Amino acid sequence: MDRQATVYQPARGGSYLTVDFDLTPFTVAWEITRACALACVHCRAMAIPRRDPRELSTEEGFRVIDQIVEIGRPILVVTGGDPMMRRDVYDLLAYAVSRDLRVALSPSATALVTRRALEKVKNTGIHMIHVSLDGSEPSVHDAFRGVSGSYARTVQILKDVVDLGIPLQVGTTVSRRNVHDLPRIAERVSELGVTVWNVFFLVPTGRGQIADLISPEEHERVLNWLFDLSKTVPFHVRTTAAQHYRRVVIQRTQAGRHGGEAPSGATAYVTGAGYSFRMGEGPVGRGVNDGNGFCFISHIGDVYPSGFLQLSAGNVRDQSLVELYRSSSLFRALRDPSLLKGKCGNCEFRSVCGGSRARAYYLTGDYLESDPSCVYQPRASQP
């Protein structure tokens, strides 16, 4: 959620509000490699030390970028593994920028991310760099990342990115290992001059373990704490795999409006990164979710609803991204909120939230079931 939660704009204004998620994702993440020198305890990719020979080639990568343009020019996040493990990463970034895409890069904090490498990244014209920080001190962060010295290297990379003038997003994955450390991590994020703090909530896939999940009640406390924090810090606060943060934002914003009215000729919206909600007219809104405004391309070309929901709709070597995203039965089901089950299916916030489809899948075996991390009882379910 952006720091300024409530904005006023015409009902049809703003590029986010005009994107048809049935046709065009808001964001595409592309894992260009699974190779990585780190061994993070929560890694959804189960990254490997060396590059997979089945990876998409440079030329295939250019064709993927062309398909991302064809589907409507969504935001492109280039990730891994560690994308810096590919020597052609600069060529891929530069080509994507040349095709008028908004591009972000998510490298791992390894020795490959030197200041010189960051200067080369900047020269490609990308729009943002994402770096992970999972602890406020080495004892927490290095244990998370599985490599001693990772914290010191991460802090140096963060400082270099800010010094080079590249917009910086810091990602933190919340688990039982570091939930106690979140206030201190937020202090470090503030000190470093970060643009966005993206707080990920663990999904037990890859190396992620169910035992490391925080409880539903802890989810609710952290989400409310993030909302309070967002009002006081100099950076934007966003969440990933915690779609119910949107419900918390809407509830808290509605409670604080004190009957205020939108300016004449405009509609009041609560908006954030990948969601919008019209205020005062009932539960009208929508939000990005796995397969709904978001898709993920693996290192070998498989197309998933997200990096956390690794169910393949097909492969870009065989079918176009446009066809897979728009027409596959998997993606179409994920874009139909009427198919949601349990609490999520009854919830008045299902269109703007919908729960984490990935967490639902890995905890229940059904990607349309309720997200077990949410404590909210929908109005329709209350006696």
Side-chain angles (χ1 to χ4, degrees), residues 109 132 148 151 186 196 213 253 291 381:
S132 293
S148 179
Y151 176 83
V196 178
L213 285 172
T253 303
S381 301

Side-chain angles (χ1 to χ4, degrees), residues 20-49:
D20 183 348
F21 289 168
D22 284 332
L23 300 177
T24 302
F26 185 67
T27 302
V28 172
W30 177 21
E31 168 196 79
I32 63 174
T33 184
R34 280 202 175 169
C36 184
L38 301 181
C40 305
V41 297
H42 64 292
C43 180
R44 57 110 202 124
M46 296 190 71
I48 53 181

Side-chain angles (χ1 to χ4, degrees), residues 308-352:
F308 296 113
L309 183 55
Q310 296 190 30
L311 298 174
S312 178
N315 192 286
V316 294
R317 284 174 165 143
D318 305 315
Q319 296 172 273
S320 72
L321 178 64
V322 173
E323 180 182 359
L324 293 170
Y325 178 82
R326 294 178 180 174
S327 302
S328 73
S329 58
L330 172 63
F331 277 81
R332 289 172 67 88
L334 287 165
R335 290 197 293 270
D336 185 351
S338 71
L339 297 179
L340 294 176
K341 302 175 182 178
K343 286 198 310 179
C344 285
N346 290 327
C347 187
E348 62 269 29
F349 298 105
R350 68 183 186 182
S351 294
V352 70

